[in-house]
Amino acid sequence: MTTEPIALSAALASFTDRWSPRIVTAVNDYDVRVAKVEGEHVWHVHDHTDEFFLVLDGELHIALREPSGERTVVLPKGSVFTVPRGTQHKPYAPIPTEILMLEPTGTLTVGDHHEEIPGHVDATTGHALS
């Protein structure tokens, strides 16, 4: 972890991969990750942790499978949303989008249970900034 400020714009400019988050810093036992996303992720669930999203640019949709049924939340630029632990969800970005996520260190991007992972989705616990 660096002891210097990190510009999120510089962090995001340092990579081009989609659905492949970079760890910009840590807070206690949590990673602060940024990612560029576009198109569909995969249905997945995190059994033991919530997942926090902040849309820095673009628009993120998150489909949710809840006890009351399926719904989709739409997050325009500047919006935040937390997916509760144990909730199946599938992020989707209709346009190129930049997001910030807060998750416990070591959390896999495709959760504890997931559907088949397509080639454009990086199953990772986050990459260090280069």
Side-chain angles (χ1 to χ4, degrees), residues 71-110:
R71 71 179 175 120
T72 299
V73 295
V74 177
L75 303 159
K77 178 180 178 176
S79 297
V80 299
F81 184 76
T82 300
V83 175
R85 73 190 72 203
T87 302
Q88 279 194 339
H89 59 288
K90 181 179 185 177
Y92 168 76
I95 59 174
T97 297
E98 296 175 345
I99 60 175
L100 181 142
M101 296 163 291
L102 183 64
E103 298 178 299
T105 299
T107 299
L108 194 59
T109 57
V110 294

PDB file of all heavy atoms in Angstrom, residues 71-110:
ATOM      1  N   ARG A  71     -35.019  -8.143 -10.193  1.00  0.00           N
ATOM      2  CA  ARG A  71     -35.130  -6.736 -10.545  1.00  0.00           C
ATOM      3  C   ARG A  71     -33.757  -6.241 -10.981  1.00  0.00           C
ATOM      4  O   ARG A  71     -32.746  -6.905 -10.744  1.00  0.00           O
ATOM      5  CB  ARG A  71     -35.664  -5.886  -9.392  1.00  0.00           C
ATOM      6  CG  ARG A  71     -34.682  -5.716  -8.243  1.00  0.00           C
ATOM      7  CD  ARG A  71     -35.268  -4.846  -7.148  1.00  0.00           C
ATOM      8  NE  ARG A  71     -34.376  -4.778  -5.995  1.00  0.00           N
ATOM      9  CZ  ARG A  71     -33.847  -3.650  -5.533  1.00  0.00           C
ATOM     10  NH1 ARG A  71     -34.119  -2.492  -6.108  1.00  0.00           N
ATOM     11  NH2 ARG A  71     -33.053  -3.667  -4.479  1.00  0.00           N
ATOM     12  N   THR A  72     -33.722  -5.084 -11.610  1.00  0.00           N
ATOM     13  CA  THR A  72     -32.463  -4.481 -12.035  1.00  0.00           C
ATOM     14  C   THR A  72     -32.393  -3.064 -11.495  1.00  0.00           C
ATOM     15  O   THR A  72     -33.349  -2.297 -11.617  1.00  0.00           O
ATOM     16  CB  THR A  72     -32.356  -4.458 -13.575  1.00  0.00           C
ATOM     17  OG1 THR A  72     -32.387  -5.816 -14.051  1.00  0.00           O
ATOM     18  CG2 THR A  72     -31.054  -3.815 -14.029  1.00  0.00           C
ATOM     19  N   VAL A  73     -31.266  -2.738 -10.869  1.00  0.00           N
ATOM     20  CA  VAL A  73     -31.022  -1.367 -10.436  1.00  0.00           C
ATOM     21  C   VAL A  73     -30.127  -0.709 -11.479  1.00  0.00           C
ATOM     22  O   VAL A  73     -29.251  -1.354 -12.047  1.00  0.00           O
ATOM     23  CB  VAL A  73     -30.392  -1.283  -9.029  1.00  0.00           C
ATOM     24  CG1 VAL A  73     -31.362  -1.808  -7.976  1.00  0.00           C
ATOM     25  CG2 VAL A  73     -29.079  -2.032  -8.960  1.00  0.00           C
ATOM     26  N   VAL A  74     -30.381   0.567 -11.751  1.00  0.00           N
ATOM     27  CA  VAL A  74     -29.596   1.324 -12.723  1.00  0.00           C
ATOM     28  C   VAL A  74     -28.832   2.399 -11.964  1.00  0.00           C
ATOM     29  O   VAL A  74     -29.427   3.187 -11.226  1.00  0.00           O
ATOM     30  CB  VAL A  74     -30.498   1.950 -13.804  1.00  0.00           C
ATOM     31  CG1 VAL A  74     -29.678   2.802 -14.762  1.00  0.00           C
ATOM     32  CG2 VAL A  74     -31.248   0.849 -14.564  1.00  0.00           C
ATOM     33  N   LEU A  75     -27.517   2.411 -12.154  1.00  0.00           N
ATOM     34  CA  LEU A  75     -26.653   3.343 -11.447  1.00  0.00           C
ATOM     35  C   LEU A  75     -25.985   4.290 -12.439  1.00  0.00           C
ATOM     36  O   LEU A  75     -25.030   3.912 -13.116  1.00  0.00           O
ATOM     37  CB  LEU A  75     -25.561   2.578 -10.683  1.00  0.00           C
ATOM     38  CG  LEU A  75     -26.067   1.545  -9.683  1.00  0.00           C
ATOM     39  CD1 LEU A  75     -24.995   0.527  -9.377  1.00  0.00           C
ATOM     40  CD2 LEU A  75     -26.516   2.230  -8.427  1.00  0.00           C
ATOM     41  N   PRO A  76     -26.475   5.519 -12.543  1.00  0.00           N
ATOM     42  CA  PRO A  76     -25.793   6.503 -13.382  1.00  0.00           C
ATOM     43  C   PRO A  76     -24.537   7.013 -12.669  1.00  0.00           C
ATOM     44  O   PRO A  76     -24.317   6.729 -11.483  1.00  0.00           O
ATOM     45  CB  PRO A  76     -26.825   7.610 -13.555  1.00  0.00           C
ATOM     46  CG  PRO A  76     -27.752   7.469 -12.399  1.00  0.00           C
ATOM     47  CD  PRO A  76     -27.709   6.028 -11.973  1.00  0.00           C
ATOM     48  N   LYS A  77     -23.732   7.767 -13.380  1.00  0.00           N
ATOM     49  CA  LYS A  77     -22.506   8.359 -12.836  1.00  0.00           C
ATOM     50  C   LYS A  77     -22.794   9.036 -11.502  1.00  0.00           C
ATOM     51  O   LYS A  77     -23.783   9.759 -11.355  1.00  0.00           O
ATOM     52  CB  LYS A  77     -21.955   9.384 -13.828  1.00  0.00           C
ATOM     53  CG  LYS A  77     -20.716  10.095 -13.358  1.00  0.00           C
ATOM     54  CD  LYS A  77     -20.242  11.077 -14.405  1.00  0.00           C
ATOM     55  CE  LYS A  77     -19.022  11.844 -13.915  1.00  0.00           C
ATOM     56  NZ  LYS A  77     -18.502  12.740 -14.959  1.00  0.00           N
ATOM     57  N   GLY A  78     -21.938   8.746 -10.514  1.00  0.00           N
ATOM     58  CA  GLY A  78     -22.082   9.349  -9.197  1.00  0.00           C
ATOM     59  C   GLY A  78     -22.948   8.567  -8.239  1.00  0.00           C
ATOM     60  O   GLY A  78     -23.055   8.930  -7.068  1.00  0.00           O
ATOM     61  N   SER A  79     -23.542   7.460  -8.682  1.00  0.00           N
ATOM     62  CA  SER A  79     -24.431   6.656  -7.832  1.00  0.00           C
ATOM     63  C   SER A  79     -23.664   5.560  -7.102  1.00  0.00           C
ATOM     64  O   SER A  79     -22.664   5.043  -7.594  1.00  0.00           O
ATOM     65  CB  SER A  79     -25.522   5.997  -8.668  1.00  0.00           C
ATOM     66  OG  SER A  79     -26.344   6.966  -9.258  1.00  0.00           O
ATOM     67  N   VAL A  80     -24.174   5.201  -5.935  1.00  0.00           N
ATOM     68  CA  VAL A  80     -23.628   4.084  -5.168  1.00  0.00           C
ATOM     69  C   VAL A  80     -24.729   3.062  -4.928  1.00  0.00           C
ATOM     70  O   VAL A  80     -25.915   3.396  -4.899  1.00  0.00           O
ATOM     71  CB  VAL A  80     -23.029   4.529  -3.815  1.00  0.00           C
ATOM     72  CG1 VAL A  80     -21.877   5.494  -4.025  1.00  0.00           C
ATOM     73  CG2 VAL A  80     -24.070   5.125  -2.902  1.00  0.00           C
ATOM     74  N   PHE A  81     -24.314   1.810  -4.758  1.00  0.00           N
ATOM     75  CA  PHE A  81     -25.254   0.741  -4.434  1.00  0.00           C
ATOM     76  C   PHE A  81     -24.476  -0.376  -3.758  1.00  0.00           C
ATOM     77  O   PHE A  81     -23.331  -0.659  -4.118  1.00  0.00           O
ATOM     78  CB  PHE A  81     -25.928   0.196  -5.698  1.00  0.00           C
ATOM     79  CG  PHE A  81     -26.980  -0.847  -5.408  1.00  0.00           C
ATOM     80  CD1 PHE A  81     -28.227  -0.484  -4.915  1.00  0.00           C
ATOM     81  CD2 PHE A  81     -26.717  -2.190  -5.625  1.00  0.00           C
ATOM     82  CE1 PHE A  81     -29.201  -1.439  -4.637  1.00  0.00           C
ATOM     83  CE2 PHE A  81     -27.690  -3.159  -5.352  1.00  0.00           C
ATOM     84  CZ  PHE A  81     -28.926  -2.784  -4.859  1.00  0.00           C
ATOM     85  N   THR A  82     -25.105  -1.005  -2.772  1.00  0.00           N
ATOM     86  CA  THR A  82     -24.499  -2.152  -2.103  1.00  0.00           C
ATOM     87  C   THR A  82     -25.353  -3.379  -2.354  1.00  0.00           C
ATOM     88  O   THR A  82     -26.557  -3.377  -2.060  1.00  0.00           O
ATOM     89  CB  THR A  82     -24.372  -1.898  -0.587  1.00  0.00           C
ATOM     90  OG1 THR A  82     -23.548  -0.750  -0.382  1.00  0.00           O
ATOM     91  CG2 THR A  82     -23.743  -3.100   0.112  1.00  0.00           C
ATOM     92  N   VAL A  83     -24.749  -4.413  -2.911  1.00  0.00           N
ATOM     93  CA  VAL A  83     -25.417  -5.703  -3.094  1.00  0.00           C
ATOM     94  C   VAL A  83     -25.246  -6.471  -1.784  1.00  0.00           C
ATOM     95  O   VAL A  83     -24.115  -6.723  -1.356  1.00  0.00           O
ATOM     96  CB  VAL A  83     -24.803  -6.506  -4.260  1.00  0.00           C
ATOM     97  CG1 VAL A  83     -25.440  -7.886  -4.356  1.00  0.00           C
ATOM     98  CG2 VAL A  83     -24.946  -5.752  -5.576  1.00  0.00           C
ATOM     99  N   PRO A  84     -26.352  -6.827  -1.124  1.00  0.00           N
ATOM    100  CA  PRO A  84     -26.231  -7.547   0.146  1.00  0.00           C
ATOM    101  C   PRO A  84     -25.627  -8.943  -0.040  1.00  0.00           C
ATOM    102  O   PRO A  84     -25.859  -9.603  -1.052  1.00  0.00           O
ATOM    103  CB  PRO A  84     -27.676  -7.658   0.640  1.00  0.00           C
ATOM    104  CG  PRO A  84     -28.448  -6.650  -0.142  1.00  0.00           C
ATOM    105  CD  PRO A  84     -27.748  -6.529  -1.458  1.00  0.00           C
ATOM    106  N   ARG A  85     -24.857  -9.357   0.943  1.00  0.00           N
ATOM    107  CA  ARG A  85     -24.284 -10.718   0.913  1.00  0.00           C
ATOM    108  C   ARG A  85     -25.386 -11.731   0.679  1.00  0.00           C
ATOM    109  O   ARG A  85     -26.524 -11.537   1.107  1.00  0.00           O
ATOM    110  CB  ARG A  85     -23.526 -11.016   2.206  1.00  0.00           C
ATOM    111  CG  ARG A  85     -24.426 -11.233   3.399  1.00  0.00           C
ATOM    112  CD  ARG A  85     -23.663 -11.285   4.692  1.00  0.00           C
ATOM    113  NE  ARG A  85     -23.230  -9.915   4.973  1.00  0.00           N
ATOM    114  CZ  ARG A  85     -22.212  -9.578   5.744  1.00  0.00           C
ATOM    115  NH1 ARG A  85     -21.529 -10.476   6.357  1.00  0.00           N
ATOM    116  NH2 ARG A  85     -21.907  -8.322   5.917  1.00  0.00           N
ATOM    117  N   GLY A  86     -25.038 -12.785  -0.058  1.00  0.00           N
ATOM    118  CA  GLY A  86     -25.997 -13.843  -0.323  1.00  0.00           C
ATOM    119  C   GLY A  86     -26.975 -13.562  -1.452  1.00  0.00           C
ATOM    120  O   GLY A  86     -27.831 -14.388  -1.734  1.00  0.00           O
ATOM    121  N   THR A  87     -26.868 -12.395  -2.091  1.00  0.00           N
ATOM    122  CA  THR A  87     -27.781 -12.033  -3.182  1.00  0.00           C
ATOM    123  C   THR A  87     -27.123 -12.310  -4.530  1.00  0.00           C
ATOM    124  O   THR A  87     -26.049 -11.784  -4.817  1.00  0.00           O
ATOM    125  CB  THR A  87     -28.156 -10.535  -3.104  1.00  0.00           C
ATOM    126  OG1 THR A  87     -28.766 -10.273  -1.837  1.00  0.00           O
ATOM    127  CG2 THR A  87     -29.113 -10.159  -4.227  1.00  0.00           C
ATOM    128  N   GLN A  88     -27.761 -13.145  -5.342  1.00  0.00           N
ATOM    129  CA  GLN A  88     -27.255 -13.368  -6.701  1.00  0.00           C
ATOM    130  C   GLN A  88     -27.389 -12.076  -7.478  1.00  0.00           C
ATOM    131  O   GLN A  88     -28.423 -11.407  -7.414  1.00  0.00           O
ATOM    132  CB  GLN A  88     -28.047 -14.463  -7.413  1.00  0.00           C
ATOM    133  CG  GLN A  88     -27.638 -15.856  -7.073  1.00  0.00           C
ATOM    134  CD  GLN A  88     -28.229 -16.842  -8.074  1.00  0.00           C
ATOM    135  OE1 GLN A  88     -29.211 -16.570  -8.757  1.00  0.00           O
ATOM    136  NE2 GLN A  88     -27.632 -18.006  -8.142  1.00  0.00           N
ATOM    137  N   HIS A  89     -26.324 -11.743  -8.217  1.00  0.00           N
ATOM    138  CA  HIS A  89     -26.362 -10.510  -8.998  1.00  0.00           C
ATOM    139  C   HIS A  89     -25.499 -10.644 -10.241  1.00  0.00           C
ATOM    140  O   HIS A  89     -24.609 -11.493 -10.315  1.00  0.00           O
ATOM    141  CB  HIS A  89     -25.928  -9.307  -8.151  1.00  0.00           C
ATOM    142  CG  HIS A  89     -24.545  -9.419  -7.580  1.00  0.00           C
ATOM    143  ND1 HIS A  89     -24.238 -10.275  -6.544  1.00  0.00           N
ATOM    144  CD2 HIS A  89     -23.400  -8.785  -7.899  1.00  0.00           C
ATOM    145  CE1 HIS A  89     -22.953 -10.157  -6.242  1.00  0.00           C
ATOM    146  NE2 HIS A  89     -22.407  -9.259  -7.068  1.00  0.00           N
ATOM    147  N   LYS A  90     -25.822  -9.793 -11.227  1.00  0.00           N
ATOM    148  CA  LYS A  90     -25.103  -9.804 -12.496  1.00  0.00           C
ATOM    149  C   LYS A  90     -24.958  -8.358 -12.978  1.00  0.00           C
ATOM    150  O   LYS A  90     -25.918  -7.760 -13.458  1.00  0.00           O
ATOM    151  CB  LYS A  90     -25.849 -10.630 -13.542  1.00  0.00           C
ATOM    152  CG  LYS A  90     -25.133 -10.699 -14.882  1.00  0.00           C
ATOM    153  CD  LYS A  90     -25.929 -11.571 -15.857  1.00  0.00           C
ATOM    154  CE  LYS A  90     -25.180 -11.768 -17.151  1.00  0.00           C
ATOM    155  NZ  LYS A  90     -25.910 -12.666 -18.055  1.00  0.00           N
ATOM    156  N   PRO A  91     -23.754  -7.791 -12.849  1.00  0.00           N
ATOM    157  CA  PRO A  91     -23.526  -6.449 -13.370  1.00  0.00           C
ATOM    158  C   PRO A  91     -23.502  -6.435 -14.900  1.00  0.00           C
ATOM    159  O   PRO A  91     -23.098  -7.416 -15.536  1.00  0.00           O
ATOM    160  CB  PRO A  91     -22.149  -6.076 -12.812  1.00  0.00           C
ATOM    161  CG  PRO A  91     -21.937  -6.998 -11.649  1.00  0.00           C
ATOM    162  CD  PRO A  91     -22.633  -8.265 -12.039  1.00  0.00           C
ATOM    163  N   TYR A  92     -23.937  -5.305 -15.461  1.00  0.00           N
ATOM    164  CA  TYR A  92     -23.961  -5.108 -16.903  1.00  0.00           C
ATOM    165  C   TYR A  92     -23.751  -3.622 -17.171  1.00  0.00           C
ATOM    166  O   TYR A  92     -24.370  -2.780 -16.506  1.00  0.00           O
ATOM    167  CB  TYR A  92     -25.311  -5.549 -17.483  1.00  0.00           C
ATOM    168  CG  TYR A  92     -25.527  -5.109 -18.913  1.00  0.00           C
ATOM    169  CD1 TYR A  92     -24.883  -5.757 -19.964  1.00  0.00           C
ATOM    170  CD2 TYR A  92     -26.348  -4.030 -19.217  1.00  0.00           C
ATOM    171  CE1 TYR A  92     -25.062  -5.342 -21.278  1.00  0.00           C
ATOM    172  CE2 TYR A  92     -26.538  -3.614 -20.530  1.00  0.00           C
ATOM    173  CZ  TYR A  92     -25.887  -4.273 -21.553  1.00  0.00           C
ATOM    174  OH  TYR A  92     -26.049  -3.859 -22.844  1.00  0.00           O
ATOM    175  N   ALA A  93     -22.891  -3.311 -18.118  1.00  0.00           N
ATOM    176  CA  ALA A  93     -22.668  -1.909 -18.494  1.00  0.00           C
ATOM    177  C   ALA A  93     -23.001  -1.742 -19.973  1.00  0.00           C
ATOM    178  O   ALA A  93     -22.319  -2.307 -20.831  1.00  0.00           O
ATOM    179  CB  ALA A  93     -21.230  -1.506 -18.224  1.00  0.00           C
ATOM    180  N   PRO A  94     -24.051  -0.981 -20.293  1.00  0.00           N
ATOM    181  CA  PRO A  94     -24.449  -0.806 -21.688  1.00  0.00           C
ATOM    182  C   PRO A  94     -23.480   0.081 -22.481  1.00  0.00           C
ATOM    183  O   PRO A  94     -23.472   0.050 -23.705  1.00  0.00           O
ATOM    184  CB  PRO A  94     -25.825  -0.153 -21.589  1.00  0.00           C
ATOM    185  CG  PRO A  94     -25.819   0.549 -20.273  1.00  0.00           C
ATOM    186  CD  PRO A  94     -24.955  -0.292 -19.372  1.00  0.00           C
ATOM    187  N   ILE A  95     -22.666   0.868 -21.760  1.00  0.00           N
ATOM    188  CA  ILE A  95     -21.660   1.730 -22.381  1.00  0.00           C
ATOM    189  C   ILE A  95     -20.371   1.586 -21.577  1.00  0.00           C
ATOM    190  O   ILE A  95     -20.399   1.100 -20.439  1.00  0.00           O
ATOM    191  CB  ILE A  95     -22.118   3.220 -22.391  1.00  0.00           C
ATOM    192  CG1 ILE A  95     -22.383   3.710 -20.959  1.00  0.00           C
ATOM    193  CG2 ILE A  95     -23.345   3.411 -23.268  1.00  0.00           C
ATOM    194  CD1 ILE A  95     -22.700   5.191 -20.842  1.00  0.00           C
ATOM    195  N   PRO A  96     -19.225   1.980 -22.125  1.00  0.00           N
ATOM    196  CA  PRO A  96     -17.990   1.917 -21.329  1.00  0.00           C
ATOM    197  C   PRO A  96     -18.178   2.674 -20.005  1.00  0.00           C
ATOM    198  O   PRO A  96     -18.642   3.821 -19.996  1.00  0.00           O
ATOM    199  CB  PRO A  96     -16.950   2.596 -22.220  1.00  0.00           C
ATOM    200  CG  PRO A  96     -17.466   2.383 -23.611  1.00  0.00           C
ATOM    201  CD  PRO A  96     -18.971   2.471 -23.481  1.00  0.00           C
ATOM    202  N   THR A  97     -17.847   2.013 -18.915  1.00  0.00           N
ATOM    203  CA  THR A  97     -18.131   2.532 -17.578  1.00  0.00           C
ATOM    204  C   THR A  97     -16.930   2.300 -16.673  1.00  0.00           C
ATOM    205  O   THR A  97     -16.229   1.296 -16.808  1.00  0.00           O
ATOM    206  CB  THR A  97     -19.393   1.844 -17.015  1.00  0.00           C
ATOM    207  OG1 THR A  97     -20.503   2.187 -17.868  1.00  0.00           O
ATOM    208  CG2 THR A  97     -19.710   2.251 -15.599  1.00  0.00           C
ATOM    209  N   GLU A  98     -16.706   3.225 -15.752  1.00  0.00           N
ATOM    210  CA  GLU A  98     -15.642   3.099 -14.765  1.00  0.00           C
ATOM    211  C   GLU A  98     -16.280   3.053 -13.387  1.00  0.00           C
ATOM    212  O   GLU A  98     -17.140   3.880 -13.066  1.00  0.00           O
ATOM    213  CB  GLU A  98     -14.671   4.278 -14.878  1.00  0.00           C
ATOM    214  CG  GLU A  98     -13.951   4.296 -16.219  1.00  0.00           C
ATOM    215  CD  GLU A  98     -13.076   5.519 -16.417  1.00  0.00           C
ATOM    216  OE1 GLU A  98     -13.219   6.511 -15.668  1.00  0.00           O
ATOM    217  OE2 GLU A  98     -12.245   5.486 -17.339  1.00  0.00           O
ATOM    218  N   ILE A  99     -15.856   2.060 -12.580  1.00  0.00           N
ATOM    219  CA  ILE A  99     -16.463   1.868 -11.266  1.00  0.00           C
ATOM    220  C   ILE A  99     -15.386   1.750 -10.194  1.00  0.00           C
ATOM    221  O   ILE A  99     -14.232   1.420 -10.476  1.00  0.00           O
ATOM    222  CB  ILE A  99     -17.378   0.627 -11.224  1.00  0.00           C
ATOM    223  CG1 ILE A  99     -16.600  -0.661 -11.554  1.00  0.00           C
ATOM    224  CG2 ILE A  99     -18.561   0.798 -12.169  1.00  0.00           C
ATOM    225  CD1 ILE A  99     -17.423  -1.945 -11.406  1.00  0.00           C
ATOM    226  N   LEU A 100     -15.798   2.015  -8.959  1.00  0.00           N
ATOM    227  CA  LEU A 100     -14.977   1.782  -7.780  1.00  0.00           C
ATOM    228  C   LEU A 100     -15.741   0.805  -6.904  1.00  0.00           C
ATOM    229  O   LEU A 100     -16.960   0.935  -6.744  1.00  0.00           O
ATOM    230  CB  LEU A 100     -14.739   3.099  -7.041  1.00  0.00           C
ATOM    231  CG  LEU A 100     -13.864   3.014  -5.794  1.00  0.00           C
ATOM    232  CD1 LEU A 100     -12.968   4.244  -5.703  1.00  0.00           C
ATOM    233  CD2 LEU A 100     -14.697   2.876  -4.530  1.00  0.00           C
ATOM    234  N   MET A 101     -15.031  -0.192  -6.369  1.00  0.00           N
ATOM    235  CA  MET A 101     -15.653  -1.201  -5.516  1.00  0.00           C
ATOM    236  C   MET A 101     -14.899  -1.290  -4.195  1.00  0.00           C
ATOM    237  O   MET A 101     -13.683  -1.074  -4.161  1.00  0.00           O
ATOM    238  CB  MET A 101     -15.638  -2.564  -6.195  1.00  0.00           C
ATOM    239  CG  MET A 101     -16.463  -2.620  -7.465  1.00  0.00           C
ATOM    240  SD  MET A 101     -16.032  -4.047  -8.481  1.00  0.00           S
ATOM    241  CE  MET A 101     -14.396  -3.577  -9.005  1.00  0.00           C
ATOM    242  N   LEU A 102     -15.595  -1.627  -3.149  1.00  0.00           N
ATOM    243  CA  LEU A 102     -15.009  -1.834  -1.840  1.00  0.00           C
ATOM    244  C   LEU A 102     -15.381  -3.245  -1.413  1.00  0.00           C
ATOM    245  O   LEU A 102     -16.571  -3.560  -1.281  1.00  0.00           O
ATOM    246  CB  LEU A 102     -15.559  -0.795  -0.859  1.00  0.00           C
ATOM    247  CG  LEU A 102     -14.994  -0.816   0.551  1.00  0.00           C
ATOM    248  CD1 LEU A 102     -13.509  -0.484   0.548  1.00  0.00           C
ATOM    249  CD2 LEU A 102     -15.754   0.163   1.428  1.00  0.00           C
ATOM    250  N   GLU A 103     -14.345  -4.081  -1.235  1.00  0.00           N
ATOM    251  CA  GLU A 103     -14.583  -5.489  -0.889  1.00  0.00           C
ATOM    252  C   GLU A 103     -13.493  -5.979   0.041  1.00  0.00           C
ATOM    253  O   GLU A 103     -12.357  -5.492  -0.026  1.00  0.00           O
ATOM    254  CB  GLU A 103     -14.570  -6.369  -2.143  1.00  0.00           C
ATOM    255  CG  GLU A 103     -15.641  -6.032  -3.153  1.00  0.00           C
ATOM    256  CD  GLU A 103     -15.563  -6.903  -4.390  1.00  0.00           C
ATOM    257  OE1 GLU A 103     -14.534  -6.875  -5.078  1.00  0.00           O
ATOM    258  OE2 GLU A 103     -16.542  -7.596  -4.655  1.00  0.00           O
ATOM    259  N   PRO A 104     -13.782  -6.963   0.901  1.00  0.00           N
ATOM    260  CA  PRO A 104     -12.727  -7.527   1.744  1.00  0.00           C
ATOM    261  C   PRO A 104     -11.574  -8.050   0.889  1.00  0.00           C
ATOM    262  O   PRO A 104     -11.791  -8.633  -0.179  1.00  0.00           O
ATOM    263  CB  PRO A 104     -13.420  -8.676   2.477  1.00  0.00           C
ATOM    264  CG  PRO A 104     -14.865  -8.296   2.489  1.00  0.00           C
ATOM    265  CD  PRO A 104     -15.082  -7.588   1.172  1.00  0.00           C
ATOM    266  N   THR A 105     -10.354  -7.810   1.343  1.00  0.00           N
ATOM    267  CA  THR A 105      -9.177  -8.298   0.635  1.00  0.00           C
ATOM    268  C   THR A 105      -9.317  -9.797   0.381  1.00  0.00           C
ATOM    269  O   THR A 105      -9.726 -10.546   1.259  1.00  0.00           O
ATOM    270  CB  THR A 105      -7.911  -8.011   1.473  1.00  0.00           C
ATOM    271  OG1 THR A 105      -7.814  -6.600   1.651  1.00  0.00           O
ATOM    272  CG2 THR A 105      -6.661  -8.548   0.793  1.00  0.00           C
ATOM    273  N   GLY A 106      -9.019 -10.203  -0.849  1.00  0.00           N
ATOM    274  CA  GLY A 106      -9.094 -11.611  -1.214  1.00  0.00           C
ATOM    275  C   GLY A 106     -10.424 -12.040  -1.798  1.00  0.00           C
ATOM    276  O   GLY A 106     -10.587 -13.196  -2.187  1.00  0.00           O
ATOM    277  N   THR A 107     -11.391 -11.118  -1.893  1.00  0.00           N
ATOM    278  CA  THR A 107     -12.699 -11.455  -2.457  1.00  0.00           C
ATOM    279  C   THR A 107     -12.561 -11.677  -3.966  1.00  0.00           C
ATOM    280  O   THR A 107     -12.031 -10.832  -4.679  1.00  0.00           O
ATOM    281  CB  THR A 107     -13.723 -10.335  -2.185  1.00  0.00           C
ATOM    282  OG1 THR A 107     -13.868 -10.193  -0.773  1.00  0.00           O
ATOM    283  CG2 THR A 107     -15.075 -10.663  -2.806  1.00  0.00           C
ATOM    284  N   LEU A 108     -13.037 -12.799  -4.443  1.00  0.00           N
ATOM    285  CA  LEU A 108     -12.982 -13.146  -5.863  1.00  0.00           C
ATOM    286  C   LEU A 108     -14.059 -12.377  -6.632  1.00  0.00           C
ATOM    287  O   LEU A 108     -15.208 -12.298  -6.189  1.00  0.00           O
ATOM    288  CB  LEU A 108     -13.182 -14.652  -6.029  1.00  0.00           C
ATOM    289  CG  LEU A 108     -12.846 -15.283  -7.366  1.00  0.00           C
ATOM    290  CD1 LEU A 108     -11.376 -15.059  -7.754  1.00  0.00           C
ATOM    291  CD2 LEU A 108     -13.146 -16.771  -7.326  1.00  0.00           C
ATOM    292  N   THR A 109     -13.700 -11.832  -7.787  1.00  0.00           N
ATOM    293  CA  THR A 109     -14.632 -11.015  -8.575  1.00  0.00           C
ATOM    294  C   THR A 109     -15.855 -11.783  -9.047  1.00  0.00           C
ATOM    295  O   THR A 109     -16.868 -11.167  -9.371  1.00  0.00           O
ATOM    296  CB  THR A 109     -13.934 -10.419  -9.816  1.00  0.00           C
ATOM    297  OG1 THR A 109     -13.381 -11.495 -10.583  1.00  0.00           O
ATOM    298  CG2 THR A 109     -12.859  -9.434  -9.437  1.00  0.00           C
ATOM    299  N   VAL A 110     -15.769 -13.102  -9.097  1.00  0.00           N
ATOM    300  CA  VAL A 110     -16.908 -13.909  -9.541  1.00  0.00           C
ATOM    301  C   VAL A 110     -17.603 -14.608  -8.370  1.00  0.00           C
ATOM    302  O   VAL A 110     -18.402 -15.512  -8.563  1.00  0.00           O
ATOM    303  CB  VAL A 110     -16.490 -14.929 -10.630  1.00  0.00           C
ATOM    304  CG1 VAL A 110     -16.073 -14.214 -11.897  1.00  0.00           C
ATOM    305  CG2 VAL A 110     -15.393 -15.845 -10.131  1.00  0.00           C
TER     306      VAL A 110
END
